[in-house]
Amino acid sequence: MMACPPGSVQPFCTLGGVIPLIGISTYVAKAAWGAWERPAAVLPQSYYELVASAGGRPLLLPPLQTAAAGPGYGAAEVIAALDGLVLTGGGDVDPAAYGETPGPEVSGVNDVRDESERALLAAALRVDLPVLAVCRGCQVLNVERGGTLHQHLPDIVGHDEHRRAPLVFGEVKVTAEPESRAEAVFGTTATVLCSHHQSIKDLGTGLVPTARADDGVIEAVELAGARFVLGVQWHPEEAGDERPFAALVAAARDYRASGRAARNA
């Protein structure tokens, strides 16, 4: 059992050891509470509650639009304080990031969020921080590694089973590669909740496809040689599926135990 280091602050250290700190990306939207209506950093509750139920301490990371140094401001310093990172779902990644012009079906592009999350991810990968990338996050991971995306998946596969309608989550069967992390977390086959009209086209450097739908669409990727970098094209948080979050938190515990401070020195 890991001992708490001298000077540890509750509740981040317990008799069971240090609680790993897990950063979760958020997005900005107009929100209302009480009499107020303002642009706010928002995130579905399921993300951070699943991190907490898996034993991590969630910390929400907003994109910064007005920081003098740009949306990537302080990314390395943020990552140095964390033990794991979750990149969350949302709107489309700007196709300009992989050298294409946006097609008519592209929507929800936010350059500030793109730059913020890519800066966090790049800093995380430099220090081998555990990363779980969900849906859009999986696409951000692929683009950050130099990959490309199918801008509108129905044009490629001829159906809309991966997103039957905007904001609708439908069941898709996925099959994981033997001995992959995806198989270890989800089993050989799983029925998952999807809502994506884009998907990975050309794989980014070092990424390995480790789960596919029956139509061949890549539904999970992992970064070869990394401690823990798992991207899933579906939404485990919508299904209340704690398994990928528990796997991330376990990797984050190992990351902290192996000397986070020494690596970030």
Side-chain angles (χ1 to χ4, degrees), residues 11-208:
F12 301 111
C13 187
T14 69
L15 293 178
V18 176
I19 298 174
L21 305 182
I22 309 297
I24 310 176
S25 67
T26 67
Y27 49 95
V28 173
K30 184 173 288 187
W33 61 99
W36 299 97
E37 185 173 319
R38 295 285 189 276
V42 297
L43 184 74
Q45 182 182 21
S46 53
Y47 279 108
Y48 56 82
E49 291 293 354
L50 284 166
V51 166
S53 66
R57 178 59 168 94
L59 302 175
L60 304 190
L61 307 175
L64 302 176
Q65 185 166 358
T66 57
Y73 175 71
E77 288 76 10
V78 169
I79 293 301
L82 297 177
D83 302 306
L85 176 67
V86 179
L87 295 181
T88 59
D92 295 339
V93 178
D94 188 350
Y98 47 94
E100 295 185 10
T101 300
E105 300 292 345
V106 171
S107 64
V109 170
N110 186 311
D111 292 338
V112 172
R113 185 180 181 192
D114 285 356
E115 185 176 338
S116 174
E117 292 186 346
R118 289 186 65 181
L120 288 168
L121 177 60
L125 296 180
R126 282 196 295 270
V127 297
D128 200 22
L129 188 84
V131 176
L132 173 63
V134 174
C135 197
R136 167 195 155 87
C138 183
Q139 297 165 6
V140 170
L141 170 63
N142 190 58
V143 171
E144 177 60 25
R145 298 295 295 177
T148 64
L149 304 176
H150 292 297
Q151 290 193 32
H152 191 55
L153 189 55
D155 293 343
I156 307 303
V157 297
H159 62 78
D160 60 3
E161 292 303 302
H162 295 273
R163 188 187 71 172
R164 294 170 175 84
L167 307 180
V168 172
F169 297 90
E171 292 186 345
V172 173
K173 179 184 175 183
V174 300
T175 302
E177 291 294 325
E179 300 183 4
S180 65
R181 189 177 297 278
E183 184 187 50
V185 173
F186 300 102
T188 302
T189 62
T191 299
V192 299
L193 292 181
C194 285
S195 183
H196 63 95
H197 81 109
Q198 299 193 329
S199 71
I200 290 173
K201 181 181 178 181
D202 301 307
L203 281 162
T205 302
L207 292 178
V208 178

